PDB file of all heavy atoms in Angstrom:
ATOM      1  N   SER A 100      79.808 145.461 133.097  1.00  0.00           N
ATOM      2  CA  SER A 100      78.825 144.958 134.111  1.00  0.00           C
ATOM      3  C   SER A 100      78.059 146.172 134.728  1.00  0.00           C
ATOM      4  O   SER A 100      78.428 147.342 134.569  1.00  0.00           O
ATOM      5  CB  SER A 100      79.512 144.239 135.195  1.00  0.00           C
ATOM      6  OG  SER A 100      80.105 145.054 136.149  1.00  0.00           O
ATOM      7  N   CYS A 101      76.998 145.775 135.448  1.00  0.00           N
ATOM      8  CA  CYS A 101      76.248 146.857 136.134  1.00  0.00           C
ATOM      9  C   CYS A 101      76.920 147.036 137.526  1.00  0.00           C
ATOM     10  O   CYS A 101      77.721 146.269 137.941  1.00  0.00           O
ATOM     11  CB  CYS A 101      74.802 146.357 136.308  1.00  0.00           C
ATOM     12  SG  CYS A 101      74.527 145.014 137.546  1.00  0.00           S
ATOM     13  N   GLY A 102      76.547 148.113 138.189  1.00  0.00           N
ATOM     14  CA  GLY A 102      77.122 148.463 139.450  1.00  0.00           C
ATOM     15  C   GLY A 102      76.792 147.418 140.538  1.00  0.00           C
ATOM     16  O   GLY A 102      77.667 147.095 141.341  1.00  0.00           O
ATOM     17  N   GLN A 103      75.634 146.883 140.507  1.00  0.00           N
ATOM     18  CA  GLN A 103      75.284 145.864 141.470  1.00  0.00           C
ATOM     19  C   GLN A 103      76.189 144.616 141.360  1.00  0.00           C
ATOM     20  O   GLN A 103      76.704 144.123 142.407  1.00  0.00           O
ATOM     21  CB  GLN A 103      73.767 145.361 141.189  1.00  0.00           C
ATOM     22  CG  GLN A 103      72.741 146.348 141.628  1.00  0.00           C
ATOM     23  CD  GLN A 103      72.325 146.179 143.094  1.00  0.00           C
ATOM     24  OE1 GLN A 103      72.712 145.084 143.680  1.00  0.00           O
ATOM     25  NE2 GLN A 103      71.744 147.135 143.680  1.00  0.00           N
ATOM     26  N   CYS A 104      76.441 144.123 140.189  1.00  0.00           N
ATOM     27  CA  CYS A 104      77.269 142.928 140.113  1.00  0.00           C
ATOM     28  C   CYS A 104      78.714 143.267 140.389  1.00  0.00           C
ATOM     29  O   CYS A 104      79.340 142.528 141.114  1.00  0.00           O
ATOM     30  CB  CYS A 104      77.137 142.355 138.655  1.00  0.00           C
ATOM     31  SG  CYS A 104      75.567 141.505 138.312  1.00  0.00           S
ATOM     32  N   ASN A 105      79.108 144.382 139.812  1.00  0.00           N
ATOM     33  CA  ASN A 105      80.522 144.798 140.036  1.00  0.00           C
ATOM     34  C   ASN A 105      80.882 145.037 141.655  1.00  0.00           C
ATOM     35  O   ASN A 105      81.804 144.569 142.148  1.00  0.00           O
ATOM     36  CB  ASN A 105      80.887 146.104 139.355  1.00  0.00           C
ATOM     37  CG  ASN A 105      82.349 146.265 139.117  1.00  0.00           C
ATOM     38  OD1 ASN A 105      83.142 145.407 139.550  1.00  0.00           O
ATOM     39  ND2 ASN A 105      82.760 147.400 138.594  1.00  0.00           N
ATOM     40  N   GLY A 106      79.815 145.639 142.276  1.00  0.00           N
ATOM     41  CA  GLY A 106      79.974 145.931 143.660  1.00  0.00           C
ATOM     42  C   GLY A 106      79.937 144.672 144.494  1.00  0.00           C
ATOM     43  O   GLY A 106      80.743 144.483 145.412  1.00  0.00           O
ATOM     44  N   LYS A 107      79.101 143.682 144.119  1.00  0.00           N
ATOM     45  CA  LYS A 107      79.018 142.483 144.882  1.00  0.00           C
ATOM     46  C   LYS A 107      80.315 141.688 144.789  1.00  0.00           C
ATOM     47  O   LYS A 107      80.880 141.069 145.678  1.00  0.00           O
ATOM     48  CB  LYS A 107      77.879 141.584 144.372  1.00  0.00           C
ATOM     49  CG  LYS A 107      76.587 141.972 145.027  1.00  0.00           C
ATOM     50  CD  LYS A 107      75.506 141.034 144.480  1.00  0.00           C
ATOM     51  CE  LYS A 107      74.178 141.331 145.242  1.00  0.00           C
ATOM     52  NZ  LYS A 107      74.242 141.016 146.580  1.00  0.00           N
ATOM     53  N   LYS A 108      80.847 141.703 143.534  1.00  0.00           N
ATOM     54  CA  LYS A 108      82.037 140.858 143.250  1.00  0.00           C
ATOM     55  C   LYS A 108      83.263 141.556 143.837  1.00  0.00           C
ATOM     56  O   LYS A 108      84.085 140.988 144.550  1.00  0.00           O
ATOM     57  CB  LYS A 108      82.254 140.751 141.691  1.00  0.00           C
ATOM     58  CG  LYS A 108      83.343 139.806 141.357  1.00  0.00           C
ATOM     59  CD  LYS A 108      83.346 139.468 139.871  1.00  0.00           C
ATOM     60  CE  LYS A 108      84.743 139.013 139.441  1.00  0.00           C
ATOM     61  NZ  LYS A 108      85.780 140.050 139.363  1.00  0.00           N
ATOM     62  N   ASN A 109      83.403 142.870 143.609  1.00  0.00           N
ATOM     63  CA  ASN A 109      84.464 143.744 144.207  1.00  0.00           C
ATOM     64  C   ASN A 109      85.823 143.020 144.350  1.00  0.00           C
ATOM     65  O   ASN A 109      86.300 142.639 143.273  1.00  0.00           O
ATOM     66  CB  ASN A 109      83.931 144.114 145.625  1.00  0.00           C
ATOM     67  CG  ASN A 109      84.694 145.336 146.091  1.00  0.00           C
ATOM     68  OD1 ASN A 109      85.416 146.018 145.306  1.00  0.00           O
ATOM     69  ND2 ASN A 109      84.580 145.703 147.361  1.00  0.00           N
ATOM     70  N   ASN A 110      86.317 142.825 145.433  1.00  0.00           N
ATOM     71  CA  ASN A 110      87.632 142.228 145.581  1.00  0.00           C
ATOM     72  C   ASN A 110      87.572 140.783 146.095  1.00  0.00           C
ATOM     73  O   ASN A 110      88.492 140.286 146.635  1.00  0.00           O
ATOM     74  CB  ASN A 110      88.558 142.991 146.544  1.00  0.00           C
ATOM     75  CG  ASN A 110      89.239 144.143 145.794  1.00  0.00           C
ATOM     76  OD1 ASN A 110      89.236 144.216 144.515  1.00  0.00           O
ATOM     77  ND2 ASN A 110      89.698 145.086 146.512  1.00  0.00           N
ATOM     78  N   ASN A 111      86.400 140.133 145.791  1.00  0.00           N
ATOM     79  CA  ASN A 111      86.348 138.714 146.144  1.00  0.00           C
ATOM     80  C   ASN A 111      86.912 137.950 145.056  1.00  0.00           C
ATOM     81  O   ASN A 111      86.628 138.021 143.901  1.00  0.00           O
ATOM     82  CB  ASN A 111      84.775 138.322 146.276  1.00  0.00           C
ATOM     83  CG  ASN A 111      84.216 138.919 147.535  1.00  0.00           C
ATOM     84  OD1 ASN A 111      84.713 138.694 148.629  1.00  0.00           O
ATOM     85  ND2 ASN A 111      83.249 139.729 147.352  1.00  0.00           N
ATOM     86  N   TYR A 112      87.810 137.056 145.504  1.00  0.00           N
ATOM     87  CA  TYR A 112      88.410 136.219 144.407  1.00  0.00           C
ATOM     88  C   TYR A 112      88.940 134.945 145.095  1.00  0.00           C
ATOM     89  O   TYR A 112      89.162 134.980 146.391  1.00  0.00           O
ATOM     90  CB  TYR A 112      89.583 136.888 143.741  1.00  0.00           C
ATOM     91  CG  TYR A 112      89.746 136.341 142.354  1.00  0.00           C
ATOM     92  CD1 TYR A 112      88.804 136.553 141.330  1.00  0.00           C
ATOM     93  CD2 TYR A 112      90.836 135.568 142.001  1.00  0.00           C
ATOM     94  CE1 TYR A 112      89.039 136.033 140.034  1.00  0.00           C
ATOM     95  CE2 TYR A 112      91.112 135.013 140.815  1.00  0.00           C
ATOM     96  CZ  TYR A 112      90.100 135.242 139.778  1.00  0.00           C
ATOM     97  OH  TYR A 112      90.295 134.695 138.561  1.00  0.00           O
ATOM     98  N   ALA A 113      89.076 133.910 144.462  1.00  0.00           N
ATOM     99  CA  ALA A 113      89.613 132.667 145.077  1.00  0.00           C
ATOM    100  C   ALA A 113      90.331 131.866 143.930  1.00  0.00           C
ATOM    101  O   ALA A 113      89.983 132.041 142.736  1.00  0.00           O
ATOM    102  CB  ALA A 113      88.482 131.822 145.542  1.00  0.00           C
ATOM    103  N   VAL A 114      91.319 131.152 144.278  1.00  0.00           N
ATOM    104  CA  VAL A 114      92.049 130.335 143.263  1.00  0.00           C
ATOM    105  C   VAL A 114      92.034 128.869 143.775  1.00  0.00           C
ATOM    106  O   VAL A 114      91.825 128.534 144.890  1.00  0.00           O
ATOM    107  CB  VAL A 114      93.541 130.857 143.082  1.00  0.00           C
ATOM    108  CG1 VAL A 114      93.550 132.133 142.446  1.00  0.00           C
ATOM    109  CG2 VAL A 114      94.277 130.869 144.427  1.00  0.00           C
TER     110      VAL A 114
END
Side-chain angles (χ1 to χ4, degrees):
S100 83
C101 73
Q103 284 274 343
C104 287
N105 198 6
K107 276 182 176 294
K108 187 171 161 285
N109 199 12
N110 276 343
N111 288 303
Y112 206 70
V114 290

